[in-house]
Amino acid sequence: MRFWRRKKKSDEESEQQQEAAEAPAEEVAEAPVTTEVADLELTEEEVAEVQEQTQRATERTRRGWFSRLGGLFERADFGDELWDELEEILISADTGLETTELIVSTVRDRVRQDNIKRSDEVRELLREELVAVLEEPGHSVPRWAESDAPSPLVLIVVGVNGTGKTTSIAKMAHAFQRDGATVILGAADTFRAAAIDQLKLWGERVGARVVAHQHGADPGAVAFDSLSAAESAGGDIVIIDTAGRLHTKSNLMEELKKIYRVIQRKYPDAPHETLLVLDATTGQNGLSQARTFTEAVGITGIVLSKLDGTAKGGIAFSIAHQLQIPVRFIGTGERMDDLAPFDARQFVDALLS
């Protein structure tokens, strides 16, 4: 599956393209049909892979609280009790009270406005509203999907300990490198020796260079050296891991801000993306983490890890509605390939299937 859109073609490649354009029509192979999923142009095979991974990631949620939706809409008609049951299901699935009230009230108003009498039509309205909530943050294309993405592209990854942050970084590095990018990993979580060792181990597994200093070193210096390493090696993407102590610690936030300042001295428009890894199994507690990180450094996207390990996948709706931050990736399992770009419609279809 293609996550990274390559930089502009070299002159040699451009000449090859020109030659192909001038060749007889029968000698030119047809370009593969692509579909836009999660703001990425994917082939039919890649779309099917996203669908399969999303289905797998949401299996426990689909068989858990969301399984009750099937029975809710099997009735030919419905009464006022439908709204109470729908609200209970959504709240129990970690959608959150505020987001649940928005969804239910919007669907109920549409039902009254359109004078809908059949429960299967209500189900379709619910589907539309769930997709709309997930798409609230807008359709901003992630920087790594841009054809003219900066080089090196600098990503900072934040999150508290235990969320699967380092594993998610490794999965991203693996995905980007599989697409032909040269990835440099920066071990800027210098407060834990284990964090440095863990990133080094993952770097060896995925074949990415890891820039690391000793335990207790200045995280800003690690970030600076990671950028320098990318310049020397012609790196395309730099992913910087950061400390993950409790988000309530103000000194952690100050360290993150310092890393930002160091990076911006070298690249004023960087970091180009700041991704927060949230553990889907922590539910609504993840929202308070996200708010704190957003206030401190600004978050441009969410990596929702361990989604396959919870029956309460409704947290994705709370994130989109209450934080107005797009979910960029979902963790779909423990394998290195178990990372999928998040697509609102695919996600909702998987939950309601």
Side-chain angles (χ1 to χ4, degrees):
M1 185 187 312
R2 198 160 75 105
F3 288 74
W4 179 62
R5 184 165 294 174
R6 296 179 184 277
K7 296 176 292 185
K8 294 179 180 179
K9 304 289 185 181
S10 65
D11 292 339
E12 181 179 351
E13 291 173 315
S14 297
E15 291 175 3
Q16 293 174 351
Q17 290 179 343
Q18 182 64 29
E19 291 175 0
E22 295 172 353
E26 64 271 18
E27 296 181 12
V28 180
E30 291 186 7
V33 176
T34 61
T35 303
E36 186 172 296
V37 173
D39 298 312
L40 298 170
E41 289 292 334
L42 303 181
T43 64
E44 291 180 358
E45 291 79 8
E46 290 169 334
V47 171
E49 184 180 347
V50 172
Q51 185 177 22
E52 188 275 330
Q53 288 207 48
T54 303
Q55 287 276 354
R56 187 169 68 247
T58 56
E59 181 176 0
R60 291 188 64 177
T61 299
R62 185 169 61 253
R63 293 184 176 181
W65 292 104
F66 272 80
S67 66
R68 293 175 56 189
L69 288 176
L72 194 61
F73 294 111
E74 283 177 355
R75 314 160 190 170
D77 52 10
F78 61 92
D80 290 339
E81 70 277 1
L82 178 142
W83 308 117
D84 293 333
E85 292 182 54
L86 177 58
E87 186 173 280
E88 179 187 349
I89 292 170
L90 292 176
I91 290 176
S92 299
D94 248 341
T95 305
L97 179 59
E98 178 183 329
T99 307
T100 295
E101 289 178 343
L102 169 72
I103 293 169
V104 173
S105 63
T106 301
V107 175
R108 184 167 49 206
D109 289 346
R110 284 282 307 279
V111 167
R112 291 171 178 169
Q113 177 183 335
D114 298 342
N115 196 28
I116 289 175
K117 302 296 185 183
R118 292 169 45 189
S119 60
D120 59 335
E121 293 179 306
V122 179
R123 178 190 176 94
E124 287 309 306
L125 287 180
L126 174 63
R127 182 193 301 273
E128 292 176 15
E129 180 57 22
L130 291 175
V131 171
V133 168
L134 292 175
E135 292 180 344
E136 272 188 55
H139 288 284
S140 60
V141 177
R143 298 301 299 274
W144 55 81
E146 296 176 352
S147 58
D148 58 347
S151 182
L153 180 72
V154 182
L155 310 180
I156 284 186
V157 182
V158 301
V160 302
N161 292 333
T163 58
K165 176 165 58 74
T166 307
T167 303
S168 296
I169 289 173
K171 289 180 178 181
M172 285 189 285
H174 174 67
F176 290 138
Q177 292 208 144
R178 186 177 54 187
D179 291 341
T182 299
V183 179
I184 304 293
L185 301 179
D189 182 359
T190 60
F191 294 96
R192 290 190 308 130
I196 300 173
D197 294 338
Q198 186 182 13
L199 193 65
K200 285 181 176 179
L201 178 61
W202 278 117
E204 291 176 4
R205 290 180 180 177
V206 303
R209 177 181 174 184
V210 178
V211 176
H213 291 188
Q214 63 183 2
H215 173 231
D218 179 9
V222 176
F224 183 88
D225 288 350
S226 299
L227 299 179
S228 298
E231 291 176 350
S232 301
D236 299 295
I237 300 175
V238 179
I239 306 177
I240 298 175
D241 187 16
T242 60
R245 293 171 298 162
L246 288 176
H247 65 283
T248 52
K249 299 291 182 66
S250 60
N251 54 343
L252 167 60
M253 296 303 169
E254 289 305 315
E255 284 294 342
L256 288 175
K257 293 177 182 177
K258 180 180 178 181
I259 292 174
Y260 266 61
R261 291 193 295 269
V262 169
I263 292 173
Q264 288 169 352
R265 288 194 199 111
K266 206 169 185 66
Y267 299 106
D269 62 335
H272 305 105
E273 294 273 358
T274 300
L275 302 176
L276 170 63
V277 179
L278 285 183
D279 179 349
T281 66
T282 61
Q284 294 296 303
N285 184 51
L287 290 178
S288 62
Q289 297 174 18
R291 286 193 181 96
T292 304
F293 278 106
T294 299
E295 291 170 1
V297 293
I299 302 298
T300 62
I302 301 290
V303 179
L304 198 56
S305 67
K306 308 180 186 180
L307 185 59
D308 59 306
T310 180
K312 297 186 174 184
I315 184 64
F317 299 100
S318 289
I319 291 170
H321 171 58
Q322 296 188 41
L323 302 179
Q324 295 293 300
I325 301 173
V327 177
R328 294 301 194 190
F329 295 113
I330 53 174
T332 62
E334 297 181 355
R335 298 175 305 174
M336 193 54 54
D337 289 331
D338 289 338
L339 183 75
F342 181 81
D343 181 76
R345 194 161 297 278
Q346 294 269 20
F347 184 77
V348 172
D349 285 347
L351 289 178
L352 299 182
S353 63

